[in-house]
Amino acid sequence: MHKSASESDTDRRIYKSKQALKASLLEWMSRKPLEGITITDIVKSAELNRSTFYKHYVYKEDLLREILTDVIDDLIAAYRAPYVHYHDFEIKDLNASAIKIFDHVLLNSSFYTLLVHSQMPREFRDTLYETLITLYLQDVTDISPDPRIDKELLACYQANAVLGLITGWVQSNFKYSSTYMAEQLLEFTRMNRSNEVYRSNLAPAHGHKPGLSI
C-alpha cells in the first residue's frame, strides 16, 4: 500500500524534526553533562518548539536512547556489509573496500566522540561491545576452525580490537581516512588468520565469494 503525498510529507517532517533534536542534544553534550541540559536548550538549538519535542519523547533520556538505537542499527548494517550477500568467504580474498565500519563511525562521529571521551552513559559502550560479540557469534561459522580456539573468547577479543581501533581513531581526531583504517584492520586480520574460511549464516548458498567478518 502506497503512502499519499501528504503522509510522505508528514513522515519527512517528523524525520527532519527528530534529526534536528538529536543533533542538538549531541551538540549540547559536547559542552556540558546530560543532567545539566534542559528540554528548552535542546529545542532552541534545534529551532523547534517544546510541543514538537513532546510529540515524540517524554524525557531527554528517551531522545538519547533513540540515538543509540540509530547507531546500533547502522553499526549492524556496516558490520554485515562485507558478507551479507555471500555464503562462503576466505580471509585471504578480502578487500578493504568492503569494510564499512569506519564509514559508519565517521557518519556518527559526534556520537563516537562523546562515547570515547566518557560523555555517554557507560552502558552505551557496553551495548556496542555486546552487539559486536553477538554479530560474530550468530552471523558466521568458521568452517576451518582451530580446535585450540574458544570461539566466545575470540569474539570478545575481536570486539575489543574493533572498539580499540575506533577509540584510537577518535582520540587522534580522525587523523586517518576511513579507507586507511579499513586497510589497517584488514592487514591486522590477515596477520594471524590468513588461512581461515568462514560461512555467512545470512546469505543463501550460491558459490564461493570473498567477504569479511570482523
Side-chain angles (χ1 to χ4, degrees), residues 101-183:
I101 197 163
F102 297 105
D103 293 328
H104 153 79
V105 173
L106 208 53
L107 181 66
N108 297 281
S109 59
S110 296
F111 174 90
Y112 280 98
T113 298
L114 291 169
L115 185 77
V116 166
H117 294 294
S118 302
Q119 289 154 290
M120 285 284 178
R122 172 60 195 244
E123 66 189 84
F124 282 22
R125 186 180 180 90
D126 293 343
T127 300
L128 289 172
Y129 174 66
E130 290 161 7
T131 298
L132 290 169
I133 290 175
T134 300
L135 282 166
Y136 179 78
L137 291 175
Q138 292 186 353
D139 279 8
V140 298
T141 300
D142 186 350
I143 59 177
S144 57
D146 183 334
R148 298 170 299 175
I149 300 297
D150 184 302
K151 186 176 181 180
E152 290 188 0
L153 290 177
L154 178 59
C156 294
Y157 171 83
Q158 293 182 163
N160 275 300
V162 171
L163 286 176
L165 281 175
I166 290 171
T167 298
W169 193 33
V170 172
Q171 289 175 336
S172 76
N173 197 25
F174 301 98
K175 175 180 176 181
Y176 308 106
S177 69
S178 59
T179 299
Y180 180 80
M181 293 299 295
E183 290 169 348

Side-chain angles (χ1 to χ4, degrees), residues 10-26 42-43 46-49 52-58 62-67 69-70:
T10 298
D11 287 346
R12 281 194 290 271
R13 283 197 298 272
I14 291 172
Y15 176 79
K16 287 179 67 176
S17 295
K18 284 189 166 189
Q19 290 303 105
L21 291 169
K22 291 170 186 176
S24 175
L25 177 56
L26 291 175
I42 297 168
V43 298
E47 297 183 348
L48 296 168
N49 53 50
T52 300
F53 179 94
Y54 288 117
K55 280 179 185 177
H56 308 295
Y57 310 103
V58 177
D62 300 328
L63 175 59
L64 184 58
R65 290 193 177 281
E66 188 167 292
I67 292 172
T69 298
D70 291 346

Side-chain angles (χ1 to χ4, degrees), residues 27-94:
E27 172 61 27
W28 274 107
M29 288 180 68
S30 70
R31 300 186 222 168
K32 60 182 181 179
L34 180 64
E35 56 268 25
I37 301 169
T38 66
I39 303 300
T40 300
D41 289 334
I42 297 168
V43 298
K44 280 188 175 180
S45 294
E47 297 183 348
L48 296 168
N49 53 50
R50 290 174 67 90
S51 64
T52 300
F53 179 94
Y54 288 117
K55 280 179 185 177
H56 308 295
Y57 310 103
V58 177
Y59 304 109
K60 60 192 174 187
E61 289 80 7
D62 300 328
L63 175 59
L64 184 58
R65 290 193 177 281
E66 188 167 292
I67 292 172
L68 175 64
T69 298
D70 291 346
V71 170
I72 292 293
D73 288 346
D74 195 61
L75 171 64
I76 291 170
Y79 184 98
R80 287 175 166 169
Y83 62 82
V84 67
H85 299 300
Y86 302 129
H87 187 56
D88 292 353
F89 50 92
E90 299 181 42
I91 296 292
K92 64 182 178 62
D93 292 329
L94 304 180

